[in-house]
Amino acid sequence: MALSLESICKKYGSHTVISFQKFQLTDGVYWLKGANGTGKTTLFRIIAGQTPFDGQVSFRNVNLKKQPVSYRSTISYAEAEPQYPGYITGNDLVRYHQQVRRAKLDDVEKLIERFGMSPFMNQAIGGYSSGMLKKLSLICAFIGEIELFLLDEPLITIDKESATELFSLIKEYRVKGCMFLISSHQDIDPDMLSLDGVFMIQNGDIHKC
């Protein structure tokens, strides 16, 4: 199994948000569907290593708690509602990701062009629309040699052209051997993106649809 979660439990105070014994996936593209508030974002933050939890998570035999640096270096998480300091520019943010992930400048520029963000990269992020912020977060997510992509509600606020570009990128990276988990309460057109599985969180547990 490429991704393995075992004995997972996440609580906020006395409220249990996520609780299940085992969830394992082979490489592929998967859709986690469901309405807001069901725990999709919490699950993604657990997998991304961004929130404490009980249990074990490993990706391609690298354990999050035992090998946190190696684990996190293979994963990219694009949040549903990205928030960045308003005074920095789009270029400031992508250059940071480029340097941390040791990516090629040409590859980064191509991503920026594909999402139509080139004219806005020198502007302060505080002046960006919600759609521009979403596209910027997706650009950052695809920078570097990432193996597992966690895309939380990637289709909200972006235009149809950008959504088509996103699906094209997912297909290209899937051919390279990358894995994707996509959360969305919107339907994903199977003609636009072929899925290897669809799941839903109900009462804190994950069920196959």
Side-chain angles (χ1 to χ4, degrees):
M1 293 295 174
L3 180 66
S4 178
L5 290 80
E6 297 187 12
S7 303
I8 301 298
C9 183
K10 175 61 181 179
K11 294 182 179 182
Y12 292 109
S14 61
H15 176 58
T16 300
V17 181
I18 297 287
S19 181
F20 58 84
Q21 285 303 305
K22 184 174 289 188
F23 180 56
Q24 295 180 320
L25 295 173
T26 57
D27 284 328
V29 179
Y30 299 92
W31 173 23
L32 185 65
K33 63 187 297 186
N36 292 335
T38 56
K40 300 189 305 296
T41 294
T42 297
L43 179 63
F44 275 26
R45 287 177 176 167
I46 287 172
I47 298 172
Q50 292 191 3
T51 188
F53 65 95
D54 293 327
Q56 296 295 327
V57 176
S58 61
F59 176 64
R60 294 181 177 168
N61 297 316
V62 179
N63 186 280
L64 167 58
K65 292 184 176 179
K66 295 178 180 178
Q67 303 153 286
V69 176
S70 296
Y71 177 93
R72 290 188 177 94
S73 68
T74 65
I75 294 176
S76 191
Y77 172 41
E79 297 185 77
E81 297 180 0
Q83 296 182 358
Y84 306 113
Y87 57 86
I88 67 173
T89 68
N91 273 328
D92 291 335
L93 188 65
V94 297
R95 296 293 177 260
Y96 168 77
H97 282 79
Q98 176 200 348
Q99 292 173 9
V100 169
R101 296 178 180 173
R102 300 178 182 178
K104 296 179 181 178
L105 179 59
D106 287 348
D107 292 340
V108 175
E109 293 297 336
K110 288 176 183 177
L111 284 170
I112 293 170
E113 291 174 8
R114 291 184 70 163
F115 281 101
M117 287 291 288
S118 298
F120 314 106
M121 296 304 292
N122 284 322
Q123 296 180 13
I125 292 176
Y128 279 16
S129 66
S130 57
M132 292 165 67
L133 280 174
K134 174 62 77 170
K135 288 191 282 187
L136 182 64
S137 73
L138 291 171
I139 290 167
C140 291
F142 279 90
I143 293 175
E145 299 297 322
I146 301 300
E147 297 180 37
L148 172 59
F149 293 84
L150 307 172
L151 307 181
D152 195 358
E153 297 289 355
L155 302 178
I156 58 173
T157 72
I158 63 172
D159 53 77
K160 185 176 181 180
E161 186 177 89
S162 296
T164 300
E165 196 62 57
L166 173 61
F167 289 143
S168 295
L169 273 170
I170 293 173
K171 293 174 186 176
E172 292 170 21
Y173 278 66
R174 179 68 190 96
V175 171
K176 297 178 183 179
C178 299
M179 182 176 179
F180 288 85
L181 293 183
I182 304 167
S183 81
S184 178
H185 63 271
Q186 299 170 299
D187 288 341
I188 297 177
D189 187 345
D191 292 331
M192 297 296 294
L193 184 64
S194 178
L195 298 166
D196 295 288
V198 181
F199 298 87
M200 178 179 288
I201 299 177
Q202 293 180 322
N203 299 319
D205 199 357
I206 304 175
H207 302 273
K208 189 171 184 177
C209 298

